[in-house]
Amino acid sequence: RPTAVICDDDFLAAGVCKAARRLGLRVPEDLSVTGFDDLTLATAVEPELTTVRLPAERFGERGMETLVAVVEGRAPDATPLPVELVIRDSTGPAH
């Protein structure tokens, strides 16, 4: 069976943790779970979620800048935005 689930947002990760508990699995002992966004929710659930933090405001700005560039026929800025892995209690060692 899987030993880890990587979710594309913290809401989904919180749901995975809840579903795991209902199945009798322990997070992170039996199943590691990670989210994405580092929403306030990530520290409100138990165990607190390991997640990827991104600059949400800058992410939205980049989306708008990209849209304007495409409409104007210019190449959008392809510079990667910084992200940070925030390790909390929902992940454990590989097994």
mmCIF file of all heavy atoms in Angstrom, residues 14-43:
data_model
loop_
_atom_site.group_PDB
_atom_site.id
_atom_site.type_symbol
_atom_site.label_atom_id
_atom_site.label_comp_id
_atom_site.label_asym_id
_atom_site.label_seq_id
_atom_site.Cartn_x
_atom_site.Cartn_y
_atom_site.Cartn_z
ATOM 1 N N ALA A 14 -5.770 17.813 4.410
ATOM 2 C CA ALA A 14 -6.525 17.650 5.650
ATOM 3 C C ALA A 14 -7.571 16.548 5.493
ATOM 4 O O ALA A 14 -7.780 15.738 6.399
ATOM 5 C CB ALA A 14 -7.178 18.970 6.051
ATOM 6 N N GLY A 15 -8.211 16.503 4.339
ATOM 7 C CA GLY A 15 -9.184 15.450 4.056
ATOM 8 C C GLY A 15 -8.552 14.072 4.012
ATOM 9 O O GLY A 15 -9.140 13.094 4.487
ATOM 10 N N VAL A 16 -7.357 13.988 3.453
ATOM 11 C CA VAL A 16 -6.643 12.707 3.410
ATOM 12 C C VAL A 16 -6.324 12.242 4.831
ATOM 13 O O VAL A 16 -6.481 11.058 5.164
ATOM 14 C CB VAL A 16 -5.357 12.809 2.556
ATOM 15 C CG1 VAL A 16 -4.460 11.598 2.756
ATOM 16 C CG2 VAL A 16 -5.719 12.963 1.089
ATOM 17 N N CYS A 17 -5.900 13.168 5.682
ATOM 18 C CA CYS A 17 -5.614 12.812 7.079
ATOM 19 C C CYS A 17 -6.866 12.271 7.765
ATOM 20 O O CYS A 17 -6.804 11.265 8.490
ATOM 21 C CB CYS A 17 -5.075 14.021 7.838
ATOM 22 S SG CYS A 17 -3.414 14.515 7.370
ATOM 23 N N LYS A 18 -7.990 12.917 7.538
ATOM 24 C CA LYS A 18 -9.254 12.469 8.138
ATOM 25 C C LYS A 18 -9.650 11.090 7.617
ATOM 26 O O LYS A 18 -10.034 10.211 8.385
ATOM 27 C CB LYS A 18 -10.351 13.488 7.836
ATOM 28 C CG LYS A 18 -11.666 13.191 8.507
ATOM 29 C CD LYS A 18 -12.670 14.307 8.270
ATOM 30 C CE LYS A 18 -13.959 14.045 9.015
ATOM 31 N NZ LYS A 18 -14.897 15.176 8.852
ATOM 32 N N ALA A 19 -9.531 10.896 6.306
ATOM 33 C CA ALA A 19 -9.866 9.599 5.712
ATOM 34 C C ALA A 19 -8.937 8.508 6.226
ATOM 35 O O ALA A 19 -9.381 7.386 6.495
ATOM 36 C CB ALA A 19 -9.794 9.690 4.184
ATOM 37 N N ALA A 20 -7.667 8.831 6.378
ATOM 38 C CA ALA A 20 -6.705 7.850 6.896
ATOM 39 C C ALA A 20 -7.109 7.405 8.301
ATOM 40 O O ALA A 20 -7.099 6.196 8.605
ATOM 41 C CB ALA A 20 -5.297 8.444 6.895
ATOM 42 N N ARG A 21 -7.465 8.364 9.148
ATOM 43 C CA ARG A 21 -7.895 8.009 10.511
ATOM 44 C C ARG A 21 -9.115 7.102 10.482
ATOM 45 O O ARG A 21 -9.196 6.138 11.238
ATOM 46 C CB ARG A 21 -8.192 9.269 11.321
ATOM 47 C CG ARG A 21 -6.954 9.938 11.881
ATOM 48 C CD ARG A 21 -7.285 11.030 12.886
ATOM 49 N NE ARG A 21 -8.095 12.105 12.348
ATOM 50 C CZ ARG A 21 -7.619 13.145 11.674
ATOM 51 N NH1 ARG A 21 -6.319 13.250 11.451
ATOM 52 N NH2 ARG A 21 -8.426 14.084 11.225
ATOM 53 N N ARG A 22 -10.066 7.400 9.612
ATOM 54 C CA ARG A 22 -11.273 6.563 9.505
ATOM 55 C C ARG A 22 -10.939 5.143 9.075
ATOM 56 O O ARG A 22 -11.667 4.205 9.399
ATOM 57 C CB ARG A 22 -12.259 7.180 8.525
ATOM 58 C CG ARG A 22 -12.960 8.384 9.074
ATOM 59 C CD ARG A 22 -13.992 8.901 8.122
ATOM 60 N NE ARG A 22 -14.690 10.037 8.707
ATOM 61 C CZ ARG A 22 -15.547 10.787 8.054
ATOM 62 N NH1 ARG A 22 -15.830 10.536 6.787
ATOM 63 N NH2 ARG A 22 -16.136 11.794 8.651
ATOM 64 N N LEU A 23 -9.840 4.997 8.331
ATOM 65 C CA LEU A 23 -9.405 3.668 7.891
ATOM 66 C C LEU A 23 -8.489 2.990 8.911
ATOM 67 O O LEU A 23 -7.977 1.906 8.651
ATOM 68 C CB LEU A 23 -8.676 3.784 6.544
ATOM 69 C CG LEU A 23 -9.546 4.199 5.357
ATOM 70 C CD1 LEU A 23 -8.676 4.493 4.136
ATOM 71 C CD2 LEU A 23 -10.569 3.108 5.047
ATOM 72 N N GLY A 24 -8.278 3.651 10.031
ATOM 73 C CA GLY A 24 -7.431 3.080 11.066
ATOM 74 C C GLY A 24 -5.949 3.303 10.837
ATOM 75 O O GLY A 24 -5.120 2.659 11.483
ATOM 76 N N LEU A 25 -5.602 4.203 9.931
ATOM 77 C CA LEU A 25 -4.196 4.504 9.668
ATOM 78 C C LEU A 25 -3.760 5.691 10.511
ATOM 79 O O LEU A 25 -4.540 6.618 10.752
ATOM 80 C CB LEU A 25 -3.982 4.822 8.183
ATOM 81 C CG LEU A 25 -4.309 3.705 7.206
ATOM 82 C CD1 LEU A 25 -4.225 4.202 5.780
ATOM 83 C CD2 LEU A 25 -3.379 2.528 7.428
ATOM 84 N N ARG A 26 -2.514 5.662 10.931
ATOM 85 C CA ARG A 26 -1.952 6.759 11.722
ATOM 86 C C ARG A 26 -1.078 7.629 10.825
ATOM 87 O O ARG A 26 -0.291 7.122 10.039
ATOM 88 C CB ARG A 26 -1.107 6.205 12.870
ATOM 89 C CG ARG A 26 -1.904 5.344 13.830
ATOM 90 C CD ARG A 26 -1.009 4.542 14.746
ATOM 91 N NE ARG A 26 -0.167 3.685 13.900
ATOM 92 C CZ ARG A 26 1.045 3.240 14.237
ATOM 93 N NH1 ARG A 26 1.568 3.538 15.394
ATOM 94 N NH2 ARG A 26 1.738 2.474 13.406
ATOM 95 N N VAL A 27 -1.257 8.940 10.960
ATOM 96 C CA VAL A 27 -0.443 9.909 10.228
ATOM 97 C C VAL A 27 0.521 10.515 11.237
ATOM 98 O O VAL A 27 0.080 11.035 12.261
ATOM 99 C CB VAL A 27 -1.330 11.014 9.595
ATOM 100 C CG1 VAL A 27 -0.484 12.092 8.940
ATOM 101 C CG2 VAL A 27 -2.315 10.413 8.591
ATOM 102 N N PRO A 28 1.806 10.408 11.057
ATOM 103 C CA PRO A 28 2.581 9.959 9.911
ATOM 104 C C PRO A 28 3.122 8.538 10.037
ATOM 105 O O PRO A 28 3.859 8.086 9.165
ATOM 106 C CB PRO A 28 3.731 10.946 9.890
ATOM 107 C CG PRO A 28 4.055 11.130 11.334
ATOM 108 C CD PRO A 28 2.695 11.107 12.019
ATOM 109 N N GLU A 29 2.794 7.827 11.119
ATOM 110 C CA GLU A 29 3.398 6.508 11.326
ATOM 111 C C GLU A 29 3.111 5.543 10.183
ATOM 112 O O GLU A 29 4.006 4.805 9.756
ATOM 113 C CB GLU A 29 2.920 5.898 12.653
ATOM 114 C CG GLU A 29 3.394 6.646 13.876
ATOM 115 C CD GLU A 29 2.508 7.826 14.264
ATOM 116 O OE1 GLU A 29 1.569 8.167 13.489
ATOM 117 O OE2 GLU A 29 2.757 8.422 15.329
ATOM 118 N N ASP A 30 1.875 5.524 9.686
ATOM 119 C CA ASP A 30 1.491 4.621 8.594
ATOM 120 C C ASP A 30 1.455 5.321 7.240
ATOM 121 O O ASP A 30 1.667 4.689 6.210
ATOM 122 C CB ASP A 30 0.101 4.024 8.860
ATOM 123 C CG ASP A 30 0.029 3.255 10.155
ATOM 124 O OD1 ASP A 30 0.976 2.511 10.452
ATOM 125 O OD2 ASP A 30 -0.970 3.409 10.878
ATOM 126 N N LEU A 31 1.157 6.611 7.254
ATOM 127 C CA LEU A 31 0.965 7.355 6.011
ATOM 128 C C LEU A 31 1.424 8.795 6.200
ATOM 129 O O LEU A 31 0.930 9.495 7.089
ATOM 130 C CB LEU A 31 -0.526 7.358 5.620
ATOM 131 C CG LEU A 31 -0.895 8.011 4.305
ATOM 132 C CD1 LEU A 31 -0.375 7.179 3.123
ATOM 133 C CD2 LEU A 31 -2.407 8.189 4.204
ATOM 134 N N SER A 32 2.375 9.221 5.395
ATOM 135 C CA SER A 32 2.805 10.618 5.391
ATOM 136 C C SER A 32 1.904 11.395 4.441
ATOM 137 O O SER A 32 1.523 10.883 3.388
ATOM 138 C CB SER A 32 4.258 10.744 4.929
ATOM 139 O OG SER A 32 5.147 10.241 5.896
ATOM 140 N N VAL A 33 1.578 12.635 4.819
ATOM 141 C CA VAL A 33 0.696 13.465 4.007
ATOM 142 C C VAL A 33 1.308 14.855 3.883
ATOM 143 O O VAL A 33 1.737 15.440 4.884
ATOM 144 C CB VAL A 33 -0.714 13.581 4.637
ATOM 145 C CG1 VAL A 33 -1.622 14.460 3.780
ATOM 146 C CG2 VAL A 33 -1.329 12.199 4.830
ATOM 147 N N THR A 34 1.350 15.373 2.654
ATOM 148 C CA THR A 34 1.821 16.739 2.433
ATOM 149 C C THR A 34 0.765 17.535 1.679
ATOM 150 O O THR A 34 0.005 16.979 0.889
ATOM 151 C CB THR A 34 3.134 16.795 1.616
ATOM 152 O OG1 THR A 34 2.893 16.273 0.313
ATOM 153 C CG2 THR A 34 4.235 16.007 2.278
ATOM 154 N N GLY A 35 0.755 18.831 1.944
ATOM 155 C CA GLY A 35 -0.156 19.737 1.264
ATOM 156 C C GLY A 35 0.614 20.754 0.441
ATOM 157 O O GLY A 35 1.815 20.623 0.209
ATOM 158 N N PHE A 36 -0.101 21.790 0.016
ATOM 159 C CA PHE A 36 0.502 22.846 -0.794
ATOM 160 C C PHE A 36 -0.278 24.127 -0.522
ATOM 161 O O PHE A 36 -1.505 24.112 -0.564
ATOM 162 C CB PHE A 36 0.420 22.489 -2.284
ATOM 163 C CG PHE A 36 1.305 23.322 -3.155
ATOM 164 C CD1 PHE A 36 2.584 22.909 -3.455
ATOM 165 C CD2 PHE A 36 0.851 24.526 -3.662
ATOM 166 C CE1 PHE A 36 3.407 23.688 -4.266
ATOM 167 C CE2 PHE A 36 1.658 25.306 -4.468
ATOM 168 C CZ PHE A 36 2.941 24.890 -4.764
ATOM 169 N N ASP A 37 0.362 25.194 -0.215
ATOM 170 C CA ASP A 37 -0.187 26.532 -0.009
ATOM 171 C C ASP A 37 0.231 27.112 1.332
ATOM 172 O O ASP A 37 0.374 28.305 1.459
ATOM 173 C CB ASP A 37 -1.724 26.624 -0.094
ATOM 174 C CG ASP A 37 -2.280 26.350 -1.455
ATOM 175 O OD1 ASP A 37 -1.604 26.661 -2.450
ATOM 176 O OD2 ASP A 37 -3.401 25.809 -1.532
ATOM 177 N N ASP A 38 0.355 26.286 2.359
ATOM 178 C CA ASP A 38 0.626 26.719 3.731
ATOM 179 C C ASP A 38 -0.453 27.675 4.216
ATOM 180 O O ASP A 38 -0.192 28.758 4.741
ATOM 181 C CB ASP A 38 2.021 27.338 3.889
ATOM 182 C CG ASP A 38 2.451 27.403 5.356
ATOM 183 O OD1 ASP A 38 1.941 26.588 6.154
ATOM 184 O OD2 ASP A 38 3.274 28.254 5.703
ATOM 185 N N LEU A 39 -1.696 27.249 4.061
ATOM 186 C CA LEU A 39 -2.824 28.011 4.587
ATOM 187 C C LEU A 39 -2.839 27.911 6.107
ATOM 188 O O LEU A 39 -2.195 27.035 6.687
ATOM 189 C CB LEU A 39 -4.137 27.446 4.032
ATOM 190 C CG LEU A 39 -4.290 27.429 2.521
ATOM 191 C CD1 LEU A 39 -5.582 26.725 2.135
ATOM 192 C CD2 LEU A 39 -4.262 28.849 1.967
ATOM 193 N N THR A 40 -3.597 28.760 6.764
ATOM 194 C CA THR A 40 -3.751 28.698 8.217
ATOM 195 C C THR A 40 -4.226 27.312 8.645
ATOM 196 O O THR A 40 -3.847 26.812 9.707
ATOM 197 C CB THR A 40 -4.743 29.779 8.691
ATOM 198 O OG1 THR A 40 -4.273 31.052 8.250
ATOM 199 C CG2 THR A 40 -4.890 29.782 10.190
ATOM 200 N N LEU A 41 -5.023 26.679 7.802
ATOM 201 C CA LEU A 41 -5.507 25.327 8.066
ATOM 202 C C LEU A 41 -4.372 24.351 8.368
ATOM 203 O O LEU A 41 -4.528 23.430 9.163
ATOM 204 C CB LEU A 41 -6.308 24.835 6.853
ATOM 205 C CG LEU A 41 -6.708 23.368 6.824
ATOM 206 C CD1 LEU A 41 -7.782 23.113 7.880
ATOM 207 C CD2 LEU A 41 -7.215 22.977 5.451
ATOM 208 N N ALA A 42 -3.223 24.560 7.751
ATOM 209 C CA ALA A 42 -2.104 23.621 7.900
ATOM 210 C C ALA A 42 -1.651 23.467 9.346
ATOM 211 O O ALA A 42 -1.156 22.412 9.733
ATOM 212 C CB ALA A 42 -0.925 24.054 7.022
ATOM 213 N N THR A 43 -1.828 24.509 10.155
ATOM 214 C CA THR A 43 -1.444 24.412 11.562
ATOM 215 C C THR A 43 -2.656 24.238 12.472
ATOM 216 O O THR A 43 -2.500 24.100 13.680
ATOM 217 C CB THR A 43 -0.638 25.648 12.016
ATOM 218 O OG1 THR A 43 -1.393 26.826 11.764
ATOM 219 C CG2 THR A 43 0.694 25.715 11.283
#
